[in-house]
Amino acid sequence: MTARIFLKLIAVVVCLAGVALFTADVLASRVAEHYLLTHLTSALEGKARVLANDHAGLPLEQEKIHQLARVAEARLTVAASDGRVLAESEADPASMENHLSRPEFQAAFQGRSGSDTRSSRTIGIDFLYVAVPMEPGPKPRYALRLAMPLKAVNDDIHSIRARIWESVLIAFLPAVIIAAFLARRIAGRLSTVIAYAGELANGNFQARLPLITGGDIGVLSQKLNETGSKLEGTVQQLQTEHAQLDRLERVRRDFVINVSHELRTPLASIQGYAETLIDGALYDEKNNLRFLNIIRHNAERLTGLTADLLTLSRLELRTKEFRFASFHTDELLGGVVDTIRPIAARKNITIQQNEAEPGSEQALSEVFCDSEAFYQVVSNLLDNAVKYTPLNGTIAAGFQPLVKPDGALMIEFFVRDTGMGIPAEDQSRLFERFYRVDKARSRELGGTGLGLAIVKHLVRAHGGDVRVESELGRGSTFFFTLPVDDIGIPAQAPASDAIV
């Protein structure tokens, strides 16, 4: 590609040089011709005036005419005022036509010198004619004319043109060498730019042009690099958005499937037992209350599922309003623990709160949050801990100060149980909607599969994060963080996270 561009540039330079040489040749030829004719006309006029002054008396003998023509090195003609040729150095005067119409003689018979260039009708050669009056006064009777062939002038012009061509070619040789050097350099740069444009056209937006400094090509390369960088960013953004759309589509599809599945089981149970009661079991004293309790239990499951779906929907659509304020951390956590203790007591499970010593820095710590959201987060975590902790087990709840890498002050809360634990491969998906480690046991315990997803969204809406640490057979610990101070959290839950 570089060689092709180089040859094109050299061809352009050669064409321009040829045009310049041709123009110079035409202009120089015209200038030289004008200069030579002017100079020759002046010389012939001088000779003619000398001859006219020295030989004013007529008639001149033919031999004398030939002698004077040889001295003047020109053709000599003498004519009368009526146009008759009286003497001629190279032809018979008697056989020559009347010369009164000749421009040079017309000027001479008016008392001034005249000149003209034309082909001779007598001998058929191009001549320069110069005529002068042989007598003083406005109307002389005789005029003398000298003529010189233009061949000599043309030969001189050709000689001058040849020297001009030689000089210009010698002058243009360094210019051509410099142009070739510049053309090769420009061709290399253009080849690089064109190759990069080809990379962009092929979709390689990560490619970059090497640094080209100076000139318009340097500016072009900089702009192309900027264009490539912007295209790369745009493509990456589009790819990210496409991946997010694919993920959202999968989430939507899974959501529809999961909701349909979750609704189908309690609805089928309600419908089945309701039909059984209608068919006569209503009067069966042994089973009617049991069937009604089953219907009520499944209705409660539907109510809980609907409530969780509405909560999650408000969070994702940023329609849930928060009322942020500062609360004493120990008191806020203790209030939630106290409401869950009666539920845990049914399984003889002990909930221990790691209370801070009165007056200590930890006891006086505060957390900036929405109290209702905090209650929902902690109660969900405690409720799960109660469900998956065996009889006579222990659950611990507490908090500790935490400083993030960026210097932000946070409070890290934890809920630790002594249940069966969670497999490592399931921990990364634990906070997804409807994701259950043990689906059969989860439904048996009455879970909706949305509790931990709601926890994640509520915590992130506060500017915090949530995680889990677990080991099979040794229980699980759930952690979440909340800010100590107001960090400018909006009053509505952000929907920046993907819906999962």
Side-chain angles (χ1 to χ4, degrees):
M1 182 179 293
T2 302
R4 187 168 66 250
I5 297 175
F6 173 75
L7 292 176
K8 289 182 178 180
L9 291 175
I10 288 297
V12 171
V13 171
V14 171
C15 290
L16 291 176
V19 172
L21 288 173
F22 177 75
T23 304
D25 175 61
V26 172
L27 295 177
S29 299
R30 290 182 178 178
V31 171
E33 183 179 5
H34 176 74
Y35 172 78
L36 291 175
L37 286 177
T38 302
H39 179 73
L40 187 57
T41 300
S42 298
L44 287 178
E45 182 180 348
K47 292 180 181 181
R49 289 190 181 280
V50 170
L51 293 177
N53 291 333
D54 292 345
H55 303 282
L58 290 173
L60 293 174
E61 297 178 355
Q62 191 67 23
E63 183 62 30
K64 186 66 175 178
I65 290 296
H66 288 295
Q67 182 181 357
L68 293 176
R70 286 193 296 272
V71 172
E73 297 180 343
R75 179 182 174 187
L76 190 149
T77 305
V78 177
S81 57
D82 57 1
R84 290 178 297 108
V85 178
L86 302 177
E88 167 63 45
S89 62
E90 295 184 9
D92 182 10
S95 62
M96 298 178 66
E97 62 183 14
N98 192 287
H99 278 38
L100 186 61
S101 61
R102 303 297 192 269
E104 66 277 8
F105 278 116
Q106 289 180 356
F109 289 133
Q110 293 178 4
R112 53 189 176 80
S113 62
S115 63
D116 189 27
T117 55
R118 62 179 183 276
S119 178
S120 171
R121 297 180 183 178
T122 304
I123 59 178
I125 299 175
D126 291 338
F127 278 92
L128 168 64
Y129 298 98
V130 176
V132 297
M134 296 184 70
E135 296 176 342
K139 293 185 178 182
R141 291 177 297 168
Y142 307 105
L144 183 145
R145 184 184 71 180
L146 292 178
M148 179 173 287
L150 290 179
K151 182 178 183 303
V153 175
N154 293 332
D155 291 342
D156 290 341
I157 291 174
H158 291 317
S159 176
I160 292 173
R161 289 180 64 186
R163 288 196 294 271
I164 289 174
W165 274 93
E166 292 175 0
S167 302
V168 172
L169 286 175
I170 293 174
F172 265 95
L173 185 60
V176 171
I177 295 175
I178 294 173
F181 171 75
L182 294 176
R184 184 172 184 80
R185 184 180 180 187
I186 293 173
R189 291 184 168 191
L190 285 177
S191 177
T192 304
V193 171
I194 292 172
Y196 177 66
E199 292 292 331
L200 291 181
N202 292 330
N204 184 12
F205 303 119
Q206 292 80 22
R208 291 293 180 269
L209 269 173
L211 180 63
I212 299 177
T213 58
D216 293 336
I217 296 180
V219 175
L220 176 62
S221 66
Q222 180 182 356
K223 296 300 181 183
L224 283 175
N225 274 334
E226 292 176 0
T227 301
S229 178
K230 291 179 180 178
L231 286 173
E232 182 182 7
T234 301
V235 170
Q236 289 178 349
Q237 182 180 358
L238 290 174
Q239 290 175 344
T240 302
E241 292 176 355
H242 182 71
Q244 289 177 347
L245 288 175
D246 288 343
R247 186 182 181 188
L248 289 174
E249 176 59 24
R250 289 195 303 271
V251 169
R252 184 197 64 80
R253 185 172 58 250
D254 293 343
F255 175 77
V256 172
I257 294 173
N258 288 326
V259 169
S260 300
H261 184 75
E262 293 295 331
L263 291 175
R264 184 183 299 114
T265 302
L267 285 174
S269 180
I270 291 172
Q271 183 179 3
Y273 283 103
E275 290 176 352
T276 301
L277 289 171
I278 292 172
D279 290 340
L282 181 62
Y283 305 103
D284 183 357
E285 295 180 358
K286 294 182 180 180
N287 295 311
N288 54 6
L289 289 178
R290 184 172 65 87
F291 291 169
L292 288 174
N293 282 327
I294 294 174
I295 292 174
R296 185 186 64 180
H297 174 72
N298 283 280
E300 289 175 352
R301 283 185 61 188
L302 287 176
T303 301
L305 179 60
T306 304
D308 287 347
L309 285 173
L310 288 174
T311 300
L312 195 59
S313 176
R314 292 191 188 101
L315 287 170
E316 292 170 347
L317 297 176
R318 295 183 295 180
T319 59
K320 181 174 178 59
E321 296 287 341
F322 293 99
R323 293 181 176 86
F324 294 106
S326 293
F327 300 92
H328 289 292
T329 310
D330 205 23
E331 295 178 1
L332 192 64
L333 179 62
V336 184
V337 171
D338 289 341
T339 61
I340 303 298
R341 277 199 173 104
I343 301 175
R346 298 173 187 172
K347 295 177 63 177
N348 201 24
I349 295 174
T350 303
I351 300 180
Q352 299 175 349
Q353 181 181 350
N354 297 346
E355 298 181 356
E357 296 181 4
S360 66
E361 183 179 351
Q362 185 173 355
L364 298 176
S365 65
E366 293 184 347
V367 63
F368 187 79
C369 65
D370 179 287
S371 59
E372 292 184 3
F374 180 87
Y375 176 85
Q376 192 168 8
V377 169
V378 177
S379 63
N380 277 348
L381 294 178
L382 288 174
D383 185 61
N384 280 347
V386 171
K387 289 177 182 177
Y388 293 100
T389 298
L391 296 174
N392 304 317
T394 301
I395 298 173
F399 63 91
Q400 59 187 2
L402 176 69
V403 181
K404 295 178 66 175
D406 59 1
L409 298 177
M410 308 291 286
I411 298 293
E412 183 177 59
F413 296 88
F414 66 87
V415 173
R416 182 178 299 112
D417 62 54
T418 54
M420 66 183 66
I422 302 169
E425 61 270 17
D426 293 313
Q427 293 178 20
S428 61
R429 300 189 59 190
L430 200 60
F431 295 94
E432 296 181 10
R433 293 180 302 181
F434 298 112
Y435 186 80
R436 294 184 175 91
V437 177
D438 188 344
K439 296 180 174 58
R441 187 178 181 194
S442 295
R443 291 194 180 91
E444 179 184 345
L445 295 174
T448 64
L450 297 175
L452 291 180
I454 292 175
V455 167
K456 183 192 70 172
H457 281 279
L458 285 173
V459 171
R460 290 188 177 179
H462 284 70
D465 203 359
V466 62
R467 62 188 178 91
V468 63
E469 293 180 0
S470 183
E471 187 176 347
L472 286 176
R474 302 188 64 179
S476 305
T477 304
F478 287 83
F479 299 88
F480 69 94
T481 57
L482 295 177
V484 173
D485 303 310
D486 184 1
I487 57 175
I489 304 170
Q492 292 179 329
S496 59
D497 297 323
I499 302 173
V500 295

